Amino acid sequence: MAHSFIAYIDEAGDDGLNPDKYRVPGRGGGSSHWLTIGATVWRQSRDLDAVRWAKEIRAQLPQQKRHKPLHFKDLDHPQRVMAIGGICERPMRALAVIANKPVIPDGTYPAKHQLYHYMCRYLLERLSWLCRDMRPSVPEGDGRVKIIFSRRRAMNYDDFQSYIQRLKDAADPEIRIHWPVIDIAAIEAEDHGNRFGLQLADLAMSGLTAALEPDFYGNVEPRFARMLKPRIYHRGTNYLSYGAKMVPAADTIPFTDQQREFLGIFG
C-alpha cells in the first residue's frame, strides 16, 4: 500500500562548529551561526499538486529565474515575500529543528555529520508525531511517511539509514520516534533541482532561519517566520517543542533583541 504522507527535508546554514570561523557582520564568508534542518509535509496523494505549487511560484519570477530551481538565496526580498506567501496558501505542514551552534560546547559533536544526525533524530521524532496526529484525517495509504532528503555532498545515505535503524533497535526510551509511521527502507536523497518538494522545503527552512541568522549588516528578518506560523506543526500554543524545536533549549540561547521576535512569534 502507498504511503500516506511525503516529507521533503532540507537545511539552511551549515554544520561547521569551529568557533574561530563563524561569520562576522560586515565581512564575507564564514560559517553560519545557526543550522536549521526541517521538512515540508503533505499527503502523498497531493505530491503532484506540489509540482504545480512550485511552478506557480516560479511563474511570478522574472523571466531569467523562471526556468531555474527555486532557491531562497537566489531571490531578492520582494520575491522571497511572494514565494513564502505561496507556501502559506497550500495544504502542507512544516517543522524544523534549529541549532544555535556557538553555544554548543567544543567537542560535543567531534565526528563528521554528527550534529546533523543528532538534529535529524529530533526532526524524525516530530515528523513521526505529526503523521500520527494527522492519520485520523488522512485515511488513504498505510499511515507511513515517505522521506526524501536534499542530497548533501560527501554524505552517505546508506550509512544514514543504518543510523536510523540503530536508533530503532536501541529501544531507548529517550528516543521518542513513533516508529510505525517511519519507513526506514524508503528513505532516499535527491538533488535539489530534481524535486519540486525539496525546493519548497528550501524556501520554508530558509525563511524560518532568516529570523535568526544575521545578514551582512547584522540584521535578521522575522517576517517570513511570522508568515509561516500557520503552517508550522504545533500542539495548542506550543511550537518550540514541536515544529520550531530549538537546540539547545531556547532559554539557554543568548538571543539578540532582534532575534527575540522569533520567540515572540513561536514562544
Side-chain angles (χ1 to χ4, degrees):
M1 185 179 292
H3 297 92
S4 297
F5 308 94
I6 188 162
Y8 290 95
I9 296 177
D10 200 3
E11 66 200 76
D14 60 77
D15 55 1
L17 289 170
N18 188 332
D20 298 322
K21 294 185 178 180
Y22 291 129
R23 292 175 191 153
V24 176
R27 300 182 191 174
S31 179
S32 65
H33 292 79
W34 298 82
L35 172 62
T36 299
I37 302 174
T40 49
V41 189
W42 44 80
R43 299 185 186 203
Q44 172 76 60
S45 59
R46 289 184 172 137
D47 201 36
L48 286 179
D49 293 338
V51 174
R52 175 173 52 81
W53 303 339
K55 287 183 175 180
E56 287 175 355
I57 292 171
R58 290 202 313 191
Q60 299 178 69
L61 295 172
Q63 186 66 39
Q64 65 270 25
K65 296 184 179 181
R66 290 180 187 172
H67 303 293
K68 297 179 181 180
L70 288 167
H71 267 294
F72 186 88
K73 65 181 179 59
D74 295 335
L75 306 179
D76 63 25
H77 191 271
Q79 292 162 2
R80 290 173 177 178
V81 173
M82 176 276 296
I84 297 295
I87 288 177
C88 295
E89 297 171 355
R90 309 303 181 178
M92 68 171 70
R93 288 290 179 267
L95 58 155
V97 179
I98 308 167
N100 181 233
K101 298 188 302 177
V103 302
I104 297 174
D106 189 37
T108 304
Y109 303 106
K112 189 175 183 180
H113 305 309
Q114 190 172 358
L115 173 61
Y116 185 90
H117 284 184
Y118 181 75
M119 291 177 65
C120 283
R121 168 198 150 182
Y122 276 129
L123 180 64
L124 291 183
E125 284 180 348
R126 283 143 185 84
L127 175 60
S128 72
W129 303 343
L130 170 64
C131 295
R132 179 186 59 195
D133 292 350
M134 295 299 295
R135 176 59 168 164
S137 62
V138 183
E140 67 262 30
D142 60 8
R144 296 185 298 170
V145 57
K146 169 71 175 178
I147 299 172
I148 301 177
F149 281 82
S150 182
R151 192 186 308 279
R152 308 178 87 216
R153 287 178 294 179
M155 183 165 170
N156 186 310
Y157 287 89
D158 290 336
D159 289 346
F160 181 79
Q161 281 185 328
S162 298
Y163 164 71
I164 301 303
Q165 186 64 52
R166 289 196 301 273
L167 293 181
K168 183 178 182 180
D169 294 342
D172 183 342
E174 293 299 313
I175 300 171
R176 296 179 294 164
I177 297 172
H178 182 64
W179 292 110
V181 309
I182 301 296
D183 188 351
I184 298 175
I187 294 174
E188 59 184 68
E190 293 270 7
D191 291 334
H192 175 92
N194 291 345
R195 298 298 292 257
F196 287 101
L198 293 174
Q199 295 168 45
L200 296 176
D202 168 86
L203 295 175
M205 296 311 114
S206 297
L208 285 175
T209 308
L212 298 166
E213 184 69 45
D215 63 17
F216 181 82
Y217 299 100
N219 296 311
V220 299
E221 173 54 277
R223 178 175 183 174
F224 308 125
R226 192 179 303 110
M227 293 171 66
L228 285 162
K229 183 178 180 178
R231 303 270 68 87
I232 301 299
Y233 174 45
H234 61 284
R235 288 181 180 171
T237 60
N238 188 343
Y239 290 80
L240 295 179
S241 297
Y242 295 95
K245 168 70 176 175
M246 309 295 288
V247 176
D251 59 5
T252 68
I253 297 173
F255 293 95
T256 66
D257 288 344
Q258 286 191 36
Q259 290 167 336
R260 285 189 181 280
E261 190 162 347
F262 185 93
L263 297 182
I265 294 168
F266 295 112

